[in-house]
Every structure is written in C-alpha cells, then in structure tokens.
Amino acid sequence: MEKIVEQALLFDFYGELLTKHQKQIYEDVVLNDLSLSEAAENYGITRQGVHDLIKRCNRILKGYEEKLQLVEKFLTTKKLVQEIYELSQEIEEKSEKQEILKIQKLAKEILEEI
C-alpha cells in the first residue's frame, strides 16, 4: 500500500486516539501537505520537533493497527464485498433476476458504507 494512503487510513481509524496537538500537526503535515518548516512556524516549535512528532504519531498509529487490525479488516471486507458484487453481476443471466438484484443491492450498500 502506498505510504500516504496507509497513513491516511491509519489516521482515519485511529486519529481520534492522538492528542489534540498531535492530531493537528499530523493532519497538517501528512494530510494537508504542509512542509515541516511551515508546520513548525505555525505551531511555534522547531522543524525537528515536527519531524519527531510525525514519526512518533506514525509509530503510535501503526501500534494501534498491530493490536486492533481494524484497517486490515476493513480492506479485507471491502475486497470481499467487491468480489460478491462482481460475481453477482456475472451470474445475473443464469439465475433468478430478483435474487441477484437483492445480492447486488446489499453488496453495493455495504461498499458505500465502508
């Protein structure tokens, strides 16, 4: 998985577990693409302080994922539901149209929710 996508997913799932200060700086640097220098200036800390905070947050977020595995479960569920939806489209002609439409509708609802 691409690093920025991984960081964004980890932040989406576990960001609320960071302190307010950590959340703000992490969001600005990682998600809003502020440079370390810009963030340092905005928060009145050193560039090195911002760098250390980002590294620490990455470790914290990865630690939560190692213990809880919510991102992994989310990605697995999304992949499986996508497969269900695609399979239902493939067998649509061979089965009862009504039942296949129900399967497709449910799979699509789950995909939209996650």
Side-chain angles (χ1 to χ4, degrees), residues 2-114:
E2 199 174 315
K3 184 177 179 179
I4 191 71
V5 173
E6 179 184 11
Q7 288 176 308
L9 277 171
L10 289 171
F11 185 78
D12 285 347
F13 277 85
Y14 306 113
E16 290 300 316
L17 300 173
L18 298 173
T19 67
K20 183 179 178 183
H21 181 70
Q22 289 171 325
K23 243 171 62 173
Q24 288 173 330
I25 294 175
Y26 192 85
E27 195 168 357
D28 280 349
V29 173
V30 175
L31 304 178
N32 297 333
D33 206 27
L34 250 63
S35 71
L36 298 177
S37 299
E38 290 171 322
E41 188 177 317
N42 289 349
Y43 292 99
I45 58 177
T46 65
R47 183 186 176 286
Q48 184 64 45
V50 173
H51 179 265
D52 292 345
L53 187 139
I54 298 300
K55 285 182 73 167
R56 187 170 43 256
C57 287
N58 280 329
R59 269 196 317 275
I60 291 168
L61 295 173
K62 285 179 182 179
Y64 288 134
E65 176 59 15
E66 286 174 11
K67 291 177 182 126
L68 301 172
Q69 298 181 347
L70 296 177
V71 174
E72 183 180 331
K73 290 173 187 173
F74 165 79
L75 293 173
T76 300
T77 302
K78 185 175 179 178
K79 180 183 172 201
L80 292 172
V81 172
Q82 184 65 44
E83 286 179 34
I84 290 169
Y85 184 73
E86 290 168 4
L87 283 171
S88 70
Q89 287 181 319
E90 289 175 20
I91 62 172
E92 187 172 1
E93 296 170 4
K94 300 176 186 172
S95 299
E96 291 291 320
K97 192 140 182 122
Q98 194 85 8
E99 299 304 312
I100 295 300
L101 290 175
K102 287 180 188 176
I103 292 170
Q104 288 176 342
K105 182 181 176 199
L106 288 172
K108 197 166 194 160
E109 285 177 22
I110 294 170
L111 281 171
E112 289 172 358
E113 285 296 317
I114 55 176

